[in-house]
Amino acid sequence: MDALELVPLGSMEIAVRIWHPDAPRTVVVWHGLARHGGDFEGFARSLGPEWRVLAPDTPGRGLSSWSLIPAQDYLYRSYKRVALAVLDHFELEKVPWVGTSMGGLLGMLLAADAESAHRIERLVLNDVGPELNTDGLAQLALYFGRPHRFTTFAQLQAELTEHYAGFGIESEEAWRQLALGSARRLPDGSWTYHYDPRIAEQFIHDTPRDTWADWRAIQCPLMVIRGADSPLLDAESLVKMADVQPALVSLEVPGCGHAPMLDRDSQVAPIAAFLTRPHRKRLPLQPGRYLKRWWRRLLAWARRDKPLKDSDSSP
């Protein structure tokens, strides 16, 4: 990262990693369940110096504070407050959002909520959507719901490499950097992951909701990225998502599961194209115009006039 800003929020401190802090454009990127904003280093470098990339660490992860009340703070409604506080801190009235897994769901909830939808200019979901594979979700909850302890750093790195194979990382150096950013030393000298183990209580305390209703409510431009081997976002779900949102842009990434790392040009270039393409707003329905056209046709029929010309019936 090129800069770090700490955003106060009640008793907590939210760490925001920043790349290209003086760039003319801004995008917010949000990580997955047990990750942190540092995962977007490759994305920021590939996206280029014209973009200021803001990558917050969700409470309980990375450099942000751990909660004293997990049942209250490790919930999506709390994460929404964190996200809006970050946007307010950086004076961002409206901004594009790229979210991996949990970060994508958070962006989706913000874009669907009438009180915050205007803050999300366009939305990119990385391997997540309104319908998730229940077996894949259960495996995530099981893995992150138990403590992890490693005697050596090498053991942690080996476990990390196996568990996050779906990221599609190819180089040993990239795996080493991921491990360095994921490790935390315990008082007895052993190692564990960087996050608060209690973040998994979200699966217990968070209230289920109809995320398809949220998906239907979104008005901003949408893009979804899916790992071709994803255990979480099924290909059939992507088809359903496009049925509800016909303008949806999609990208399938070969050789990846959950979730593509977004660390190379082949993944970032389509996102960059989506972020910069002109936004064609949806035109609201105008019943009066169509009623008027229908009424004119009815009068013409009643008078047995000849049919109206196409030019006469245009809205």
Side-chain angles (χ1 to χ4, degrees):
M1 63 185 171
D2 301 323
L4 176 70
E5 196 143 343
L6 301 174
V7 179
L9 181 61
S11 62
M12 293 193 292
E13 186 177 70
I14 310 304
V16 182
R17 305 168 197 243
I18 306 170
W19 290 270
H20 313 131
D22 299 320
R25 294 175 168 177
T26 298
V27 60
V28 170
V29 294
W30 211 286
H31 61 82
L33 174 67
R35 299 301 310 152
H36 57 72
D39 286 352
F40 291 98
E41 174 85 31
F43 175 83
R45 300 305 181 197
S46 185
L47 191 61
E50 291 190 356
W51 284 94
R52 178 176 64 159
V53 178
L54 305 180
D57 290 347
T58 309
R61 292 83 162 174
L63 304 175
S64 289
S65 301
W66 288 16
S67 172
L68 297 176
I69 316 174
Q72 173 181 299
D73 293 325
Y74 295 159
L75 306 172
Y76 276 107
R77 66 173 178 267
S78 176
Y79 299 156
K80 286 172 68 176
R81 290 194 295 269
V82 171
L84 293 174
V86 169
L87 297 186
D88 290 343
H89 177 83
F90 288 96
E91 299 181 346
L92 297 169
E93 185 60 30
K94 197 168 191 175
V95 68
W97 182 288
V98 177
T100 292
S101 196
M102 183 193 76
L105 287 178
L106 175 57
M108 192 174 82
L109 296 179
L110 290 167
D113 191 326
E115 295 184 0
S116 57
H118 65 283
R119 308 295 294 269
I120 308 299
E121 191 266 333
R122 61 189 71 196
L123 176 62
V124 179
L125 305 180
N126 185 18
D127 210 59
V128 76
E131 180 179 81
L132 302 177
N133 184 290
T134 53
D135 290 339
L137 199 59
Q139 287 300 316
L140 279 179
L142 181 65
Y143 184 81
F144 293 114
R146 59 182 174 85
H148 297 272
R149 178 183 174 278
F150 307 96
T151 303
T152 66
F153 182 81
Q155 290 176 350
L156 182 147
Q157 184 171 336
E159 170 73 11
L160 194 82
T161 303
E162 180 179 353
H163 180 75
Y164 287 109
F167 281 7
I169 296 174
E170 298 173 344
S171 73
E172 289 297 324
E173 176 59 25
W175 279 118
R176 185 159 40 254
Q177 290 301 319
L178 189 75
L180 288 170
S182 302
R184 173 170 59 89
R185 197 144 207 172
L186 294 170
D188 65 357
S190 61
W191 295 89
T192 189
Y193 292 137
H194 63 87
Y195 56 82
D196 181 351
R198 298 189 68 180
I199 60 171
E201 293 182 20
Q202 174 181 326
F203 292 101
I204 301 172
H205 301 298
D206 227 339
T207 305
R209 57 186 291 144
D210 182 358
T211 46
W212 277 113
D214 294 321
W215 182 247
R216 286 190 292 271
I218 297 175
Q219 296 293 311
C220 70
L222 291 163
M223 178 178 186
V224 174
I225 300 157
R226 177 180 179 270
D229 305 316
S230 176
L232 199 64
L233 181 61
D234 294 336
E236 295 79 5
S237 298
L238 196 58
V239 174
K240 295 179 186 177
M241 292 167 68
D243 286 342
V244 175
Q245 294 279 2
L248 176 67
V249 176
S250 62
L251 171 69
E252 187 166 272
V253 181
C256 288
H258 183 73
M261 194 66 176
L262 310 183
D263 60 348
R264 63 206 69 179
D265 289 343
S266 61
Q267 298 171 19
V268 179
I271 298 175
F274 173 76
L275 294 179
T276 55
R277 75 176 190 176
H279 176 13
R280 299 179 65 181
K281 294 183 177 179
R282 299 182 185 180
L283 294 176
L285 292 177
Q286 300 181 32
R289 292 174 59 187
Y290 300 103
L291 180 62
K292 180 180 178 182
R293 183 171 64 184
W294 174 84
W295 182 247
R296 289 173 59 199
R297 286 186 177 276
L298 179 61
L299 288 177
W301 175 83
R303 294 195 302 264
R304 299 294 191 273
D305 288 346
K306 60 183 180 180
L308 294 173
K309 298 178 182 178
D310 288 343
S311 60
D312 293 332
S313 62
S314 60

